[in-house]
DNA sequence: TATTGTTATACTCTATAACTATA
DNA sequence: TATAGTTATAGAGTATAACAATA
């Protein structure tokens, strides 16, 4: 299952550019998979990947999330979360409500329809990924998860502004 | 360096959803890093990530590439590669030329300016990534590369149409 | 004054299909 | 007829800044 061709071709160099090569491989892999998942989500459920992400975040929080928190967790700017959420509200998947205690704050939460729709999406999504990774050793998946988490952690501490460090748990 | 908090919090389940969790982690990680790299590329070099990708592909091919091949390698549709390449031509980073033997074919290749600009970009890009991954064990990077390649290979064989399988070597 | 969210704007990317010219 | 590339179009994402309402 290992692509010996690529290895033999000198893809793995002990030398200097492993970081770059790994990054490019990560990027092309996620792009490839994202495109297919996006296509399937659109065809089967008529949602985009960022919309799916918003729904996933809200699904974890039965009481809903402030738009600012949603913005942090999805890594979508405040200005753009508005339109994203608006489209989902139009489709009846979530509702927005202003807080009484602080009328500047808007909380978004899933409707019943949104919740059940998301669960259908998540189920399909999960089975697509299981199919994709069916030949991977479970140990390898766990190890991958932890190392990718290391990289993410480094990115959070070295790339992101320190005050944005909270939300992104994924 | 391992994020014990996340592990302790039950992020790694022996059970059933490791594939999904790994995917979400991959996705949020590449998104986080992409956003920062995109920001830096725009500020320092005034290019987007897809444009950088096009330049990288052309940089490997001194004689240039047919737009169709470029389209495959970057995973950008034929229709959209046109505009992408046009912007780069306007900026003087590449030129398009029709083939004499077959006047349907257009070949894009870097100009001298494009080549030297890309080399500056690639150098900066590489140092950003080295900084990001400076604490990662080189063995781990190699192992990550090979396992991510496995996943990419699975995606290529299971997701993509069989006739599009050639180009995507990254 | 600071914060929350909205609006506005400009650009780019993505997906699809119809179209042109060449073969 | 088939192929390579372009054009057209619609919808979204992305980044920034200005703005209104509220605190």
């Amino acid at each position: 299952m290992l692509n010996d061709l690529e290895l033999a071709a000198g893809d793995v160099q002990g030398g200097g550019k492993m970081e770059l090569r790994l990054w490019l491989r990560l990027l092309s892999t996620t792009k490839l998979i994202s495109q297919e998942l996006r296509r399937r989500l659109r065809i089967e459920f008529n949602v985009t990947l960022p919309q799916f992400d918003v729904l996933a975040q809200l699904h974890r929080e039965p009481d809903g999330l402030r738009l600012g928190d949603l913005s942090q967790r999805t890594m979508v700017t405040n200005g753009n979360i508005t339109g994203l959420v608006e489209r989902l509200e139009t489709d009846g998947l979530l509702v927005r409500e202003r807080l009484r205690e602080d009328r500047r704050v808007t909380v978004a939460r899933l409707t019943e329809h949104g919740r059940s729709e998301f669960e259908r999406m998540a189920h399909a999504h999960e089975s697509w990924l299981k199919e994709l990774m069916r030949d991977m050793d479970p140990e390898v998946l766990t190890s991958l998860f932890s190392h990718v988490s290391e990289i993410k952690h480094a990115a959070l501490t070295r790339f992101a502004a320190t005050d944005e460090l909270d939300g992104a748990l994924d």
Side-chain angles (χ1 to χ4, degrees), chain A:
Chain A
M1 204 39 56
L2 247 233
N3 30 13
D4 297 321
L5 273 180
E6 296 190 16
L7 292 174
D11 250 350
V12 177
Q13 304 161 331
K17 312 210 173 181
M18 201 54 211
E19 295 86 354
L20 184 55
R21 298 195 65 77
L22 172 59
W23 168 245
L24 294 175
R25 184 61 44 108
L26 273 173
L27 194 59
S28 65
T29 303
T30 51
K31 183 173 183 181
L32 180 61
I33 299 173
S34 290
Q35 283 188 337
E36 180 62 16
L37 294 181
R38 187 163 52 220
R39 196 180 70 81
R40 293 185 186 184
L41 282 174
R42 185 174 38 76
I43 290 172
E44 296 197 21
F45 301 104
N46 197 36
V47 293
T48 64
L49 218 44
Q51 286 170 0
F52 179 78
D53 196 8
V54 165
L55 296 176
Q57 297 300 336
L58 293 180
H59 188 257
R60 301 180 175 183
E61 305 286 346
D63 297 335
L65 276 173
R66 300 154 64 118
L67 295 192
D69 293 340
L70 201 48
S71 168
Q72 272 196 324
R73 297 204 194 184
T74 55
M75 294 185 273
V76 170
T77 57
N78 249 341
N80 291 326
I81 207 77
T82 300
L84 206 44
V85 164
E86 244 165 21
R87 273 164 242 139
L88 292 167
E89 189 170 38
T90 303
D91 293 343
L93 297 171
L94 56 80
V95 288
R96 275 181 294 187
E97 277 169 359
R98 296 213 97 108
L99 266 199
R100 294 193 188 165
E101 312 91 89
D102 182 344
R103 298 193 36 77
R104 292 173 305 181
V105 173
T106 301
V107 170
R109 60 178 172 72
L110 293 186
T111 59
E112 262 316 304
H113 177 240
R115 167 164 300 273
S116 68
E117 272 299 282
F118 174 75
E119 281 163 7
R120 284 180 57 230
M121 291 177 207
H123 188 266
H125 206 254
E126 193 191 329
S127 73
W128 296 334
L129 288 163
K130 278 215 157 110
E131 162 64 12
L132 173 66
M133 302 188 194
R134 70 179 179 220
D135 294 330
M136 304 284 295
D137 181 340
E139 302 263 339
V140 166
L141 294 185
T142 304
S143 150
L144 270 173
F145 182 89
S146 112
H147 291 311
V148 173
S149 298
E150 268 189 85
I151 297 178
K152 179 173 180 179
H153 182 256
L156 279 170
T157 51
R158 286 167 209 176
F159 278 176
T162 28
D163 59 309
E164 299 169 11
L165 229 152
D166 310 320
L169 282 164
D170 150 31

